[in-house]
Amino acid sequence: MNATLADLAELRATIRDWCRAHVPADWRRAQTGVGDDEFVAFQQAWFQELRRAGYAVPHWPAEWGGGMSAAEQMVLYQELAAADAPRLVLAFVSIHHAAATLLTAGTDEQRRRHLPGILDGEIWVQGFSEPEAGSDLASLRTTARRESRAGGDVFVVNGQKLWASGAAHADWCLLLARSDPAAPKRRGISYLLMDMRSPGLDVRPIRNALGDSHFCEIFLNDVEIPAENLVGPENSGWQVAQATLAAERGMTMLELAERLGNVGLRSLVETCRRPDAAGHRPIDDTLVADRLAGFDTEIAGLRALCRDLVERHDAGTVGDASQAPPAMRRSQDRTAFGDAGQAPPAMRRSQDRTAFGDASQAPPAVRRSQDRTAFGGADASVVKVYYSELLQRMTGFGAEIAGLAAQTELSKPASSGWESGRWLLDFIGSWEWTIPGGTNEIQRTIIGERGLGLPREP
Amino acid sequence: MNATLADLAELRATIRDWCRAHVPADWRRAQTGVGDDEFVAFQQAWFQELRRAGYAVPHWPAEWGGGMSAAEQMVLYQELAAADAPRLVLAFVSIHHAAATLLTAGTDEQRRRHLPGILDGEIWVQGFSEPEAGSDLASLRTTARRESRAGGDVFVVNGQKLWASGAAHADWCLLLARSDPAAPKRRGISYLLMDMRSPGLDVRPIRNALGDSHFCEIFLNDVEIPAENLVGPENSGWQVAQATLAAERGMTMLELAERLGNVGLRSLVETCRRPDAAGHRPIDDTLVADRLAGFDTEIAGLRALCRDLVERHDAGTVGDASQAPPAMRRSQDRTAFGDAGQAPPAMRRSQDRTAFGDASQAPPAVRRSQDRTAFGGADASVVKVYYSELLQRMTGFGAEIAGLAAQTELSKPASSGWESGRWLLDFIGSWEWTIPGGTNEIQRTIIGERGLGLPREP
Amino acid sequence: MSAHSSELAVAAPADAPGVDAGTDEGADEELRAELRAVSRDLLAAAAGKDDAQVDWALLAEAGWLGLEVPDGLDGAGVTVAETAVVCEELGRAAARAPYLGTAVLGAGALLALDPGDDRDELLRALATGAPRFAVALPTGDAPLGAAGVPGAVPFRLARSGGAVRLTGRAEFVPDAAEAETLLLLALDEGDEPVVVRAAPGQPGVEVTATPVLDVSRSLGTVAAVDAPVEAGSVWRFRGDGRAGGRLLLARGALAVACDSLGAAEAMLAATVEYASVRHQFGRPIGSFQAVKHGCADMLVSVSVGRGLVTEATRALAAASAVHVADGADGVDDAAMSAVEVAVSRAKSYMCAAAVDVAGKAMQLHGGIGYTWESGVHRYLKRAALSRALFGSPTAHRARLARHLDADGAGGAR
Amino acid sequence: MSAHSSELAVAAPADAPGVDAGTDEGADEELRAELRAVSRDLLAAAAGKDDAQVDWALLAEAGWLGLEVPDGLDGAGVTVAETAVVCEELGRAAARAPYLGTAVLGAGALLALDPGDDRDELLRALATGAPRFAVALPTGDAPLGAAGVPGAVPFRLARSGGAVRLTGRAEFVPDAAEAETLLLLALDEGDEPVVVRAAPGQPGVEVTATPVLDVSRSLGTVAAVDAPVEAGSVWRFRGDGRAGGRLLLARGALAVACDSLGAAEAMLAATVEYASVRHQFGRPIGSFQAVKHGCADMLVSVSVGRGLVTEATRALAAASAVHVADGADGVDDAAMSAVEVAVSRAKSYMCAAAVDVAGKAMQLHGGIGYTWESGVHRYLKRAALSRALFGSPTAHRARLARHLDADGAGGAR
């Protein structure tokens, strides 16, 4: 179902009206300095508000409660950003990673069990990284030993997970564990759904650079997971994980770009238009004006990148190496965490459609000329590197312009991103985008090898 | 002989007077667009002018015609730069590389034969790089086969050299060739002095990015070099070459820094103070003013780096790992071209004194605290990276400010550096500093491994 | 901040995906892909030559000059989006051809004028490649200043002794020295921008070549001193002359941005190619992170630039279509501002990025990159010229900043 | 361009190598090396603690507070160059101590005053650590503006009802909240800068703490509203009060630059350490060029910054010595300008570089770097505060640019 221009304009008007009526007035002030419980309650309430309007999981298939086309989702995220609606922070893993995993690789039973649960507010956490397996995710050491029990087989899990964002509030965990210690690194890993109330689990918060504790360590001590919670074939967890990580990109990047382009840029311009004690406005300095215009331009470029990625996801042309120019040869698939988010082309194409729209939709015609695939299998990495470093530059500049005053802002609104206008906090928070999910150093290697076909390190 | 402050002030006044009397008026205009012969004649005349004053080879030992202390040389180069004297471009290899080689590793006979020749204007060229041995110099393929002749042994040389700057005018060549093909890469190389009038030599100019041809290829076809022209032991040419390349750093970097800080910055400020058609001066834009102040600062930083390097060369503390803090561990010596200029500490210390001043001078007390050696064995690389990229940023900015007008400047004065104020030409020429002598990528690896003790690539 | 927020997606329908079911955007994309493929083949030959001169007759035969000339005048009747493809490919080949003067600015100027027999005849001729054109307009930073176009119009008409005479001077005019027909942007006696047709040989008009480092470009100065002008040589823009002038300047800036995009892509491809085959230390140099990540950065900025150039092309094509169709009523100030915002973004970003990319290419090619023969210098010089032509990045960003400040003043949302 | 060219080497003798045969520069270097080693050991303990609080009594015992207090007043009688070493080490440890308020600014202010019993007594006390001081002067960009110091003096004395009263306000005053003695920079009735001694509890004077993200720093606001001031509490600078004020501001800026140098070196060392032991993909991450070259860039900017800080320290030490020795005749405007140029270079470069280095450290530490426990955030926050305190890089560069413009106007050579 391709929407016409008129349909989209109508949708935009509808969403805009809805936002006016439903975005909580002054939520930024109200959510500044709140405790954890208040934050969770606010997130859950806002999620249900969006759900009632059909805006919570627009990217899911219609049968599960979604059904928006990519074009419609773009309109939705543009309007939510323009209205400065709260972000869905807490449900991020649930509605993106967990859902993508279930839709791509889960059984019907698993979907029926979990997708409605997510809509009702079940929170998921990702249990991938480990102390010795960060960028090099494939060296994870947590073990899953299959054993028989009266009620059926179970996996007995032991080990430690790190950077499990939101684990303290989570009901379920997407868990990667080594089920065949003898197999090569990536061949012996299984993907499991773990109930966070299981005995043997110990969740400990890790304070981040701002003193917040949404990251956690999870210690697993003989935790038993029923075998029916295995996703995909045993020892194929690595492949399944690609799908999970792929879900982090595309439309979610577009949403972030819109946030940066709305409240982010707006706040920065406002900061620079504010006269100082002597009545001088920073923006009247060509130095400041030039930087602002540069950010405006870079944001426009980021939006174009994101739109392109989303459109090609939708069109099924992302990473189609057959269209890449000869110089841009595709290298072998990388084995590293690096290529998290980079499933082999055949897999990615199908999964993308499932993850990003109703599979029953007729895919739009492949409108793109070959040059649009110039960044080959590294699209998501290009967007991630560019977004995260733009965010860092913008917030860094904001912190510089705000000067000493930036130091006096001790907390930012919960439920906002790192474009809150509390520039020093935002700046420090920006490393949350340049490090996790494969550091930008790893991303550049992916871009070089998959996007440009440069040779791997020996 | 340490000069007192008063001595130095007197020297400065003397040099300043000399410059007023001897720096050719308006040489920049006169040397713009001249042919090769005119350039060579001008360089030779200026060299002899400097020689008569004792300013041509101040860094040589007194017995050979030099004898200035490091402090005195600094004053000399500061004043020559301040007076915008022509640079000694043509004699660069002769007075630095060739002389350092002879003084460090040559025989008395070789010194007596060649050092006076250099003072009389003999031009030397460096024959190190080859098509397949650029950054990876140790893989050079030119062969030197030792054979007996009636008049004594000779080396019969075959191969091809690249980037031999000034070979078209050269009388002599510093040649590296593989004399033991069976030995490991760096163990089978010999260092030879080759008469450029030898039969079997074919010199072909290579046009550079600006269309100039001072780079050359040298084809060697059964060229015979008498064995007495071997420098250092046979098959030890790699170690001898370190000394040659080391000579490129130190005081020569200080001279470049002074050039950039005098005529370079001055031209840039002038460019930015020139009103446009509407009477607007770029410097009145905070954007431009900020960049200029940044360059002024970076030049001051560069000068400080160079002075520090020269002073420590002088004091014999360059690269003394025993004083480095524990975290800055020294890695093994690198085998790559990369470490050209980085002899093992013991060798470097002695050679530096020989190369940079009269060995009979009492070395000044080691005045530096341990932190001054923080950049360990990578001092020269730090300076090279910083200088070359600052030059590139400054000239790039100049080209941007000058705009379309920069395109109409089709040639720059011969005998000037890449800070001529013909910004686009200077900008393009700046790659002559970021690429040769070990690209800046190689230099960063040296800094990481030798300066910081980071582990080598496996 | 309407011009900078999501509203733009509504204003420029092509921005929204999946909405072209009823349009011919898909067909246009196919046309452009074919045009691109053909151009690339044709220009590949020129790229090998030292002067990269392209055979002018070949360009005319290929139909690239008359791309925007209406069907009825023997042109292809397509849009500036197709012209942009050729510009990009010329940049990729660093080719020398007076395309900017004739097909981009010449055709653009004529199409923006009120139709008429003279104009139509000239457009028909243009598509055949004879005469070659130059359009004398300000190509520096001046028109980007707060004063806007009229203050920067380089020529002025004045009546003296019964005759209309032209006086003024334009520097760095693309393809001026080779042009047989000049179109001069002038203010008439009522301060309205008009186009004056002139010939280089004509009394009072002098054209001089301006040699530049980038030998793949031809620039010149056009000067007129009390040059007598026939009434029939003074042509009015459709509708508002100011809008016509602004669209013309936007075309110039966009064409140069497209050129830089092509040049940057060529440099990226060449660097990747070289880094894949050149071995040092027993490995292809592209396997070292320093080289690999450098190439990755080039790809990132080329990708961002491509996005901005694409958006600016769409915006200009849409506005140009409206201008030609509706004249004065078509392109209001807000729409024109939206075009200029998109063009300034594309021009400032892409033209700066191309210099960086070409510079990085020179660095990563090592010594070879610094040779004349590698040809990297041709791209670096061309990119440097493109950066300054039709407004420096700084001047374009200054214009953008004024929009940001004005929008910020407009309201919180 | 005398202040920016080789002349400087003559003006500041210590710049020239090999010329210290007759001076005690060598001995000073040894003293500083020892001071550095002792400081590093002492502060290493503090570095481990979450609040990095340093025991104040320990600092006093170590003699660091009275470094510049004359021998005769129980101090060490050395120069600001030694104080700079302590500042650098405090930065390296990201330690929390009111050193800036007491030893840098407090001692600096008192030393710049005309000697007298009250002043001498206070200096003697200062060296013992009781009372702690805060100096209320402008710590933002204001004094770097074209107007110079007097326009930015935060307090003013006025006579009303027979009494002299003080009014004004200074924000972001280092160590204000913990200070027992306040020294306020004020203009007297003749518009001459003076120092007013006050106490936090005193009528009309209010001190409030300003909590900041960098918990290793203490800042506060000092406000006075018609606060009655005794005649004995108003102290005049030696010689020209304006020069005294300028030297004091230079001290503040330099101290913060030293702090940033130490912080940056600490972050570099920590990153090198981590990259050498942390393995991924079967190798220490420091063996990857992306990490290695990142560390190399950190070293380059730390090296450049160290050079600039060293030169600024020498220049300020020399000028301060002259000021104390000769009063008004000592430091003329040209010499003061030379100090300010050196300080502005050091402050703008080093404080910006430290933020970059700390940010890079966070990046190269990966996930660990983003944790509270790694402590990298402490350095990032501290570096960000240092960047703004005593003038932003932009403000310092604006001052430098004015010098460049003025020097450029002076002549071609």
Side-chain angles (χ1 to χ4, degrees), chain B residues 292-309:
Chain B
L292 286 179
F295 291 132
D296 164 80
T297 298
E298 291 201 80
I299 284 172
L302 173 66
R303 282 172 155 158
L305 275 187
C306 291
R307 272 206 289 271
D308 188 56
L309 181 58

Side-chain angles (χ1 to χ4, degrees), chain A residues 11 65 67 74 92 131 149 151 159 165 187 221 232 280-281 283 288 295 298 325 331 342 374-375 417 439 454:
Chain A
L11 177 66
M74 278 175 53
F92 193 86
R149 290 285 184 278
S165 184
R187 300 271 170 80
N221 185 18
H280 174 76
R281 303 186 320 150
I283 199 174
V288 173
F295 290 131
E298 291 202 79
S331 66
Q342 298 302 338
F375 40 95
T439 67
L454 284 166

